[in-house]
Each structure stands twice: as C-alpha cells, then as structure tokens.
C-alpha cells in the first residue's frame, strides 16, 4: 500500500523489544519517527540504531518518540541490541518492532521488491501527534541515513505546524523563515512582530517566530 503525506499512519499491533504495542496507542500525543532497517546484525544498521539512541535527548527535546522495525524476529532483535550498545557506547532506549511476517513492512510499503524481495529498504516516516504522516523518505540499504537532516526536518515540520511559515532551502533552526503566500502584508505586520523583508512579493522572510 502506498502511503501519502496527510494520510493517517496505518494502525497495527506488534511485538517490540519493549513489549507488545498497539501503534496508535503508543503514539499517544507525540511526534513519531518510524524507520525501517533491512536486517539485524548488519553494519550500516548497527550505526543507525546506535545514532538514534545517541540522539535520545535531541528527540525528547522535540517531543519525538523513535521506533525502528525490520522483518527479523524478536529473538534476533534481542540478541543484536547488546552489539548496538557495545559498538556505539549507548543504551538502546527505543523499541524495535519484530515483523517476521512482514505485516507492518507491507502495510507501510517498506519492501521494494526490485531492491530486495525479502528485506525492507530504509524508510523514514515522521508522524504528527494527529497520527498523520508528515514526511516520508526512502534510502537504499547501502546508504545510512543523515540524522542531522531528520532532526532538521522535524524542526521545520514543528515550526510550520504552529506558524504560517515555510522554511527555505538548507534552512536550519535559528535562521530566517518564509511567510506563506496566504498571509497578506497587512496581516504579516501583526502576525510577525519581528518584521519582515520583501525580496519578491511572493518571497518574504521573517526571523524565526518561536525564538
Ligand atoms: C547494512 O546495514 O549494513 C546493510 C544491510 C543490507 C544491505 C546492505 C547493507
């Protein structure tokens, strides 16, 4: 099933390294990073899951819960976690979904048969507290994800959820943002008291409003 931005993230029940979950209940009112990895006991995945654990504080600060998944079973996940912890000198503090029957992988279109018939690609879903999909990314098995980009896009999503702004190319937290075209110049004066610069009538920049 192909999922689109704005869709409700499909619900499921599954076993994880932190016990059984119902996904929608587990989301509760948080932002969520759901990401798949091709297989346990593989090198790139070991670095990615370690990196996610190392960034626990950065995710918590943003109200984001991380959850990983592969089509390996729970026994395999539980055997692999100590390796991740040893290699990355960190405790794995987020659940890893066991999906040996590929139920969740198929629900989220994480298996791309022309890449691999058996394993998931590196899918990323960022899901909002409203349980809607806000962002999808797909990486091949051979490329580890850029977690700086994942945090950057979460910052953008959270900002644009709260203010009538968008973020420009290569924007980073703290930099000026773009006032969306739906806001008139008149309204912009009151909505953006820090002021704004008009580069083109359709391109107006303002300091980041939540700082
Ligand atoms: C890895 O995580 O290192 C990996 C997994 C599957 C294919 C290639 C690399």
């Amino acid at each position: 099933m192909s999922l689109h931005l704005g869709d409700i993230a499909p619900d499921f029940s599954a076993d994880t390294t932190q016990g059984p979950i119902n996904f929608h209940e587990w989301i509760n009112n948080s932002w969520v990073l759901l990401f798949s990895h091709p297989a346990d006991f593989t090198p790139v995945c070991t670095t990615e899951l370690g990196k996610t654990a190392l960034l626990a504080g950065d995710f918590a600060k943003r109200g984001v819960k991380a959850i990983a998944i592969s089509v390996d079973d729970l026994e395999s996940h539980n055997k692999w976690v100590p390796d991740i912890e040893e290699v990355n000198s960190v405790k794995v503090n987020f659940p890893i979904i066991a999906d040996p029957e590929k139920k969740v992988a198929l629900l989220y279109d994480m298996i791309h048969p022309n890449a691999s018939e058996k394993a998931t690609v590196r899918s990323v879903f960022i899901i909002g507290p409203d349980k809607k999909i806000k962002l999808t990314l797909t990486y091949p098995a051979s490329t580890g994800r850029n977690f700086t980009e994942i945090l950057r896009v979460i910052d953008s999503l959270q900002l644009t959820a709260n203010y009538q702004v968008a973020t420009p190319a290569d924007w980073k937290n703290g930099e000026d943002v773009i006032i969306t075209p739906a806001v008139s110049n008149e309204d912009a004066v009151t909505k953006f008291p820090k002021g704004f610069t008009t580069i083109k009538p359709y391109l107006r920049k303002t300091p980041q409003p939540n700082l």
Side-chain angles (χ1 to χ4, degrees), residues 37-39 41-48 80 119-120 122 140-143:
H37 59 274
F41 297 101
T42 51
V44 177
C45 303
T46 301
T47 64
E48 285 194 319
W80 181 40
T120 49
R122 296 187 196 281
S142 50
T143 303

Side-chain angles (χ1 to χ4, degrees), residues 10-205:
D11 196 16
F12 59 84
S13 294
D15 286 331
T16 81
T17 48
Q18 294 186 352
I21 61 157
N22 168 266
F23 190 51
H24 279 191
E25 280 172 19
W26 183 84
I27 292 175
N28 196 10
N29 288 317
S30 290
W31 287 77
V32 166
L33 164 66
L34 167 67
F35 64 110
S36 58
H37 59 274
D40 294 356
F41 297 101
T42 51
V44 177
C45 303
T46 301
T47 64
E48 285 194 319
L49 273 73
K51 188 72 187 183
T52 305
L54 286 163
L55 291 173
D58 295 87
F59 287 121
K61 204 162 75 184
R62 291 164 173 82
V64 177
K65 298 203 285 192
I67 187 162
I69 176 171
S70 81
V71 297
D72 297 289
D73 63 21
L74 196 55
E75 195 186 345
S76 166
H77 286 346
N78 283 330
K79 282 190 183 147
W80 181 40
V81 165
D83 280 7
I84 302 168
E85 294 184 335
E86 183 196 324
V87 168
N88 298 283
S89 305
V90 70
K91 208 86 202 129
V92 173
N93 44 13
F94 56 87
I96 308 172
I97 297 166
D99 190 31
E101 288 164 13
K102 303 185 174 66
K103 279 195 231 159
V104 181
L106 292 171
L107 194 59
Y108 277 79
D109 199 23
M110 291 167 168
I111 293 183
H112 297 198
N114 290 324
S116 164
E117 284 194 6
K118 288 195 220 138
T120 49
V121 291
R122 296 187 196 281
S123 299
V124 177
F125 291 88
I126 296 172
I127 298 162
D130 57 4
K131 300 183 178 60
K132 289 186 180 166
I133 296 170
K134 307 297 183 190
L135 172 121
T136 63
L137 286 169
T138 307
Y139 289 66
S142 50
T143 303
R145 280 160 277 219
N146 182 333
F147 284 82
T148 305
E149 168 60 5
I150 289 174
L151 289 172
R152 189 194 76 90
V153 84
I154 289 168
D155 285 338
S156 172
L157 287 168
Q158 294 187 337
L159 189 64
T160 61
N162 293 319
Y163 299 90
Q164 284 179 289
V165 296
T167 57
D170 294 336
W171 173 86
K172 288 192 288 303
N173 199 17
E175 294 178 354
D176 287 356
V177 299
I178 291 169
I179 300 172
T180 55
V183 181
S184 68
N185 280 338
E186 223 176 23
D187 288 348
V189 172
T190 47
K191 280 184 196 285
F192 301 101
K194 291 175 188 165
F196 63 92
T197 311
T198 304
I199 298 147
K200 290 279 177 194
Y202 54 84
L203 174 55
R204 297 162 298 169
K205 286 197 173 177

